[in-house]
Amino acid sequence: MVRYRVEHTTRYEYGGSVILSQQLAHPSPRAWPWQETLNACWQLEPEPSWRHRGFDAFDNPVEWFAYYLPHTELHVHLSLDVAVHAHRPPCLEGGIDVHTLRERLSYHGTQPLPEDVVAQRYAFESPHIRIKRELAAYAAECCPPDVPVALAAAALMHKIHEEFTFDPTATTVSTPVMEVLAQKRGVCQDFAHLMIACLRSLGIPARYMSGYLLTQPPPGQPRLVGADATHAWVAVYAPGVCDHDWIEFDPTNDLLPDTEHIAMAYGRDFSDVSPLRGIILGGGDHRPHVAVTVTPWSDFSEEGPDISG
């Protein structure tokens, strides 16, 4: 088990007065079998006119809030303490193969398994995901019909990591997945979307994972405050490999997530799990300033950080 403190701050300084704002945020992690939320403090400045907590369609904790009075800035701060347990499967062999899974998820006129029904919502197109022949062709050599789904997904992860270049200047949040495939450059969000789109194009359900990743500073250098970022990876429906049927893959780093990944939410793609999104009336030119710091408890003291607040 590894414990972390996450500090995530988003600042909007508007170019003019905002007279109406309605927002949706993910203020705390969902429940995971391998991750405990020890403390979560969610702060908004100024205090909104209205706020309400609940769950979205994917059972992620969300908060809706709104401002009905003019304001010129918005500060959102999340302070989170979590404990992450090892959960990477020791072996990807075994489990259902690609052909059998596709057949099982196809229509047969009989009552499907409940877990298959849930998985099917991650098998279709969504706002950032397309199902295309070109995507199926790109992934085909990694996913032959008789290969276990988990091994096929691992092969696709390796392929993306080897053939694509991490370049934060190459894309934006709205760059289409087909453009990412063509230019072979992007960031973690792009690589997650690409892997998901490839798998869904082959009939394999996959969902978008959102959270944080511990980044290690260079040897001898201190950990920089605010230098981290949110992270994205993939979970693939591969029954028979582990108890919960979904296996995680990180194509950006070419590994199976374990204790250095802190999971917040999952959905069909980024649009379902954005940390903060909404609409405003007014405001002029503006852009968010985001700072994220992920710190192991060992960097504080033997007792860990103070979580009394």
Side-chain angles (χ1 to χ4, degrees), residues 104 182 200:
R104 193 169 112 178
R200 291 186 191 172

Side-chain angles (χ1 to χ4, degrees), residues 182-244:
Q183 65 182 8
K184 288 185 165 50
R185 310 182 77 85
V187 295
C188 61
Q189 173 184 293
D190 302 306
F191 303 152
H193 281 156
L194 175 66
M195 184 171 175
I196 291 169
C198 287
L199 291 167
R200 291 186 191 172
S201 295
L202 291 171
I204 301 172
R207 59 195 186 197
Y208 184 98
M209 301 287 294
S210 177
Y212 304 98
L213 173 66
L214 176 68
T215 56
Q216 300 292 348
Q221 298 296 317
R223 193 177 306 278
L224 299 178
V225 175
D228 298 317
T230 56
H231 192 53
W233 60 100
V234 178
V236 180
Y237 187 53
V241 178
C242 60
D243 291 340
H244 47 82

Side-chain angles (χ1 to χ4, degrees), residues 104-170:
R104 193 169 112 178
L105 295 178
S106 63
Y107 178 73
H108 297 290
T110 57
Q111 184 172 351
L113 296 172
E115 55 268 29
D116 287 350
V117 174
V118 172
Q120 282 280 31
R121 67 193 311 193
Y122 306 100
F124 302 102
E125 287 195 345
S126 55
H128 290 283
I129 302 297
R130 292 293 174 261
I131 293 178
K132 299 285 188 180
R133 287 191 297 269
E134 297 90 335
L135 294 164
Y138 178 78
E141 66 176 355
C142 302
C143 306
D146 59 344
V147 169
V149 171
L151 285 179
L156 178 59
M157 175 182 70
H158 299 326
K159 181 180 174 71
I160 293 172
H161 183 263
E162 290 174 359
E163 298 184 1
F164 285 71
T165 300
F166 186 89
D167 182 355
T169 67

Side-chain angles (χ1 to χ4, degrees), residues 9-14 73-76 276 287-291:
T9 300
T10 303
R11 279 192 305 116
Y12 286 92
E13 295 180 352
Y14 303 113
E73 60 183 16
L74 171 62
H75 293 184
V76 181
L276 179 67
R287 64 178 57 187
H289 302 276
V290 180

Side-chain angles (χ1 to χ4, degrees), residues 12-273:
Y12 286 92
E13 295 180 352
Y14 303 113
S17 181
V18 173
I19 60 176
L20 174 66
S21 173
Q22 295 182 334
Q23 305 289 335
L24 182 151
H26 290 86
S28 59
R30 66 178 296 133
W32 308 95
W34 61 86
Q35 182 175 292
E36 303 172 56
T37 300
L38 307 175
N39 182 63
C41 182
W42 172 253
Q43 297 176 314
L44 299 169
E45 295 181 11
E47 182 65 23
S49 306
W50 172 87
R51 62 197 301 177
H52 175 73
R53 286 206 174 188
F55 297 89
D56 64 13
F58 309 97
D59 209 28
N60 300 305
V62 294
E63 179 168 312
W64 299 269
F65 60 95
Y67 293 91
Y68 303 138
L69 297 175
H71 56 286
T72 58
E73 60 183 16
L74 171 62
H75 293 184
V76 181
H77 181 72
L78 170 65
S79 182
L80 176 68
D81 293 296
V82 296
V84 185
H85 299 262
H87 58 283
R88 180 171 52 208
C91 179
L92 296 181
E93 296 180 357
I96 196 169
D97 62 55
V98 172
H99 172 75
T100 303
L101 178 63
R102 286 195 298 228
E103 284 295 304
R104 193 169 112 178
L105 295 178
S106 63
Y107 178 73
H108 297 290
T110 57
Q111 184 172 351
L113 296 172
E115 55 268 29
D116 287 350
V117 174
V118 172
Q120 282 280 31
R121 67 193 311 193
Y122 306 100
F124 302 102
E125 287 195 345
S126 55
H128 290 283
I129 302 297
R130 292 293 174 261
I131 293 178
K132 299 285 188 180
R133 287 191 297 269
E134 297 90 335
L135 294 164
Y138 178 78
E141 66 176 355
C142 302
C143 306
D146 59 344
V147 169
V149 171
L151 285 179
L156 178 59
M157 175 182 70
H158 299 326
K159 181 180 174 71
I160 293 172
H161 183 263
E162 290 174 359
E163 298 184 1
F164 285 71
T165 300
F166 186 89
D167 182 355
T169 67
T171 58
T172 68
V173 67
S174 58
T175 300
V177 69
M178 297 304 293
E179 185 176 326
V180 175
L181 177 65
Q183 65 182 8
K184 288 185 165 50
R185 310 182 77 85
V187 295
C188 61
Q189 173 184 293
D190 302 306
F191 303 152
H193 281 156
L194 175 66
M195 184 171 175
I196 291 169
C198 287
L199 291 167
R200 291 186 191 172
S201 295
L202 291 171
I204 301 172
R207 59 195 186 197
Y208 184 98
M209 301 287 294
S210 177
Y212 304 98
L213 173 66
L214 176 68
T215 56
Q216 300 292 348
Q221 298 296 317
R223 193 177 306 278
L224 299 178
V225 175
D228 298 317
T230 56
H231 192 53
W233 60 100
V234 178
V236 180
Y237 187 53
V241 178
C242 60
D243 291 340
H244 47 82
D245 291 336
W246 291 84
I247 310 298
E248 297 173 60
F249 299 87
D250 183 346
T252 304
N253 296 291
D254 196 24
L255 54 78
L256 274 64
D258 200 27
T259 58
E260 292 191 344
H261 286 66
I262 302 163
M264 289 290 289
Y266 64 66
R268 298 166 302 167
D269 58 39
F270 174 77
S271 65
D272 290 328
V273 296

